[in-house]
């Protein structure tokens, strides 16, 4: 067994209604006489009104900062400036992955001066943060990204037309509050895209070349829960509380797993695509997942027939469809995408002419390094051709 490290949020609070405890948790994390927190929200900032009321009741002076699109480097710098100008010593991310990633980046840039390219992966120097970020409390309102327990923030660079990570073990939130009630009213399309992101993020660490026994246990539980729940959460919405709870837990498990193993080709593609096109991250992952799974299995059978990962795909079939049949599992994944009405990538403007630059960027993406087998240029091209 290889050596491995494992880290996650200092504390995780899971369950229906747990958001009500945030006020006292914030108060305990701020050690200054004036308790000020920056609340980073999604575009619909009014959804945070109940949280702001909770903070006010606990004596917290809350300032808000809204993220209307997936976070950009410039947005995070703007948020960091607002945190400093208002004297906030804690950041709360309330929303989907964009809000939480923005909160983590804001907390990091608020205490680390200089060019952000010093710290960004792929397009920058990837240097470690010099100072600890402000403490972060992450409260997801979708069930998909797992950002509440990861050590990175995904930011778009307009200049480079790519999404990259700001990454540091210091960026793991001090507290993750996962309240399934916050996801009950999600519309079907967002339930579908974020749900497929959650499923992808327990599948890719499961077959990752950096998997370890702890992430294995988390992924097996997550695959089983997301596989059985995503259809019901999409179809029944708030009527199926068990499905919503399963998806919230699967998302949490996936976040912990990906932070301690790695992802793979699905996310290797998703970063460049998200940086070049206005495409929902979860929907991109959804389209790619069945195709990447199929190409990975074929490549392993051809070039590494003795690979232990092939047995992992067998187990994955058992977890998703009740039998160790990878080919039937691939068909099930394709059927799932159709059931969830996930559109092809051409919907977002991708054309065959975009394939070469995307493949070039994806090949060097950090997530691609976790794929169970190195895919050839032709295999990467095939995946995109079929996804468009």
């Amino acid at each position: 067994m290889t050596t491995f490290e494992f880290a996650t949020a200092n504390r995780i609070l899971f369950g229906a209604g747990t958001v009500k405890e945030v006020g006292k948790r914030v108060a305990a994390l701020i050690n200054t006489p004036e308790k000020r927190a920056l609340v980073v929200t999604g575009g619909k900032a009014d959804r945070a009104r109940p949280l702001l009321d909770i903070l006010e009741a606990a004596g917290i002076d809350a300032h808000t900062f809204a993220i209307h699109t997936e976070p950009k480097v410039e947005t995070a710098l703007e948020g960091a400036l607002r945190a400093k100008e208002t004297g906030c010593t804690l950041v709360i991310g309330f929303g989907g992955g964009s809000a939480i990633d923005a909160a983590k980046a804001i907390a990091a840039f608020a205490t680390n001066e200089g060019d952000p390219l010093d710290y960004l992966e792929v397009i920058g120097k990837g240097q470690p943060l010099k100072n600890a970020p402000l403490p972060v409390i992450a409260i997801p309102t979708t069930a998909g990204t797992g950002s509440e327990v990861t050590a990175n923030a995904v930011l778009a660079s307009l200049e480079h037309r790519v999404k990259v990570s700001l990454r540091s073990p210091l960026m793991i939130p001090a507290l993750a509050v996962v309240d399934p009630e916050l996801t009950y009213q999600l519309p079907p399309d967002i339930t579908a895209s974020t749900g497929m992101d959650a499923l992808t993020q327990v599948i890719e660490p499961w077959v990752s070349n950096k998997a370890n026994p702890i992430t294995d246990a988390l992924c097996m539980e997550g695959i089983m829960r997301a596989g059985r729940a995503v259809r019901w959460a999409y179809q029944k919405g708030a009527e199926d509380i068990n499905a919503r709870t399963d998806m919230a837990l699967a998302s949490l498990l996936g976040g912990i797993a990906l932070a301690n193993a790695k992802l793979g080709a699905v996310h290797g593609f998703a970063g460049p695509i998200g940086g070049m096109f206005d495409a929902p991250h979860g929907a991109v992952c959804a389209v790619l997942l069945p195709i990447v799974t199929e190409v990975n299995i074929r490549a392993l059978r051809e070039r590494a027939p003795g690979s232990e990962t092939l047995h992992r795909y067998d187990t994955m079939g058992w977890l998703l469809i009740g039998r160790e049949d990878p080919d039937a599992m691939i068909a099930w994944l394709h059927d799932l995408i159709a059931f969830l009405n996930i559109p092809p990538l051409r919907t977002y403007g991708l054309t065959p002419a975009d394939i070469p630059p995307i493949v070039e960027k994806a090949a060097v993406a950090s997530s691609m390094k976790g794929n169970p087998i190195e895919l050839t240029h032709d295999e990467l091209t095939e995946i995109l051709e079929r996804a468009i």
Side-chain angles (χ1 to χ4, degrees), residues 327-375:
D327 297 320
M329 176 189 67
I330 292 167
W332 182 88
L333 287 171
H334 281 290
D335 289 343
L336 176 61
I337 299 309
F339 179 85
L340 297 176
N341 291 307
I342 302 290
L345 295 183
R346 64 176 177 271
T347 306
Y348 310 111
L350 277 75
T351 69
D354 298 308
I355 291 176
I358 294 174
V359 167
E360 182 181 353
K361 291 179 179 181
V364 297
S366 58
S367 292
M368 193 68 76
K369 297 174 184 176
N371 206 57
I373 187 169
E374 184 175 353
L375 298 177

Side-chain angles (χ1 to χ4, degrees), residues 307-325:
S307 172
E308 189 265 342
T309 307
L310 285 171
H311 297 295
R312 287 177 174 266
Y313 278 116
D314 288 340
T315 302
M316 192 173 120
W318 179 77
L319 292 168
L320 288 175
I321 64 173
R323 64 184 189 276
E324 295 183 355
D325 186 340

Side-chain angles (χ1 to χ4, degrees), residues 3 40 130 194 213:
T3 60
V40 181
K130 298 175 182 177
T194 56

Side-chain angles (χ1 to χ4, degrees), residues 74-160:
E74 295 77 9
T75 311
L77 291 172
E78 182 184 347
L81 179 61
R82 178 163 174 77
K84 289 187 283 189
E85 288 177 342
T86 54
C88 292
T89 56
L90 179 141
V91 182
I92 301 173
F94 181 87
S98 293
I100 294 175
D101 274 2
K104 292 190 288 185
I106 287 168
F109 287 146
T111 59
N112 289 271
E113 304 288 345
D115 189 338
L117 286 177
D118 289 344
Y119 309 110
L120 292 171
E121 295 179 347
V122 182
I123 62 172
K125 298 178 182 178
Q127 295 177 349
L129 296 177
K130 298 175 182 177
N131 303 305
L134 298 176
V136 172
I137 294 179
I139 310 172
T141 61
T142 63
T145 69
S147 295
E148 65 271 16
V149 285
T150 61
N152 69 303
V154 179
L155 301 174
S157 170
L158 296 178
E159 177 185 355
H160 300 87

Side-chain angles (χ1 to χ4, degrees), residues 200-328:
T200 302
Q201 290 179 170
V202 285
I203 287 175
E204 289 204 297
W206 168 247
V207 296
S208 165
N209 55 37
K210 299 295 184 181
N212 66 65
I214 300 177
T215 61
D216 284 350
L218 299 172
C219 288
M220 290 181 71
E221 184 74 14
I223 291 169
M224 181 179 64
R225 287 180 181 270
R228 76 188 182 197
V230 65
R231 288 175 182 257
W232 292 110
Y234 171 76
Q235 193 170 32
K236 297 292 186 180
E239 296 176 22
D240 196 329
I241 293 174
N242 289 333
R244 289 293 192 186
T245 302
D246 272 346
M247 292 309 302
L249 184 54
S251 177
L252 173 66
L253 296 173
I256 299 172
L258 73 88
N260 290 280
K262 272 188 177 294
L263 290 165
V266 172
H267 280 81
F269 277 119
I273 291 171
M276 296 170 66
F277 299 90
D278 185 15
H281 173 77
V284 172
C285 291
V287 175
L288 291 166
L289 179 61
I291 305 169
V292 167
T293 301
E294 181 179 343
V295 172
N296 274 346
I297 291 173
R298 187 183 68 204
L300 288 163
R301 286 171 174 170
E302 291 175 352
R303 301 197 294 276
S307 172
E308 189 265 342
T309 307
L310 285 171
H311 297 295
R312 287 177 174 266
Y313 278 116
D314 288 340
T315 302
M316 192 173 120
W318 179 77
L319 292 168
L320 288 175
I321 64 173
R323 64 184 189 276
E324 295 183 355
D325 186 340
D327 297 320

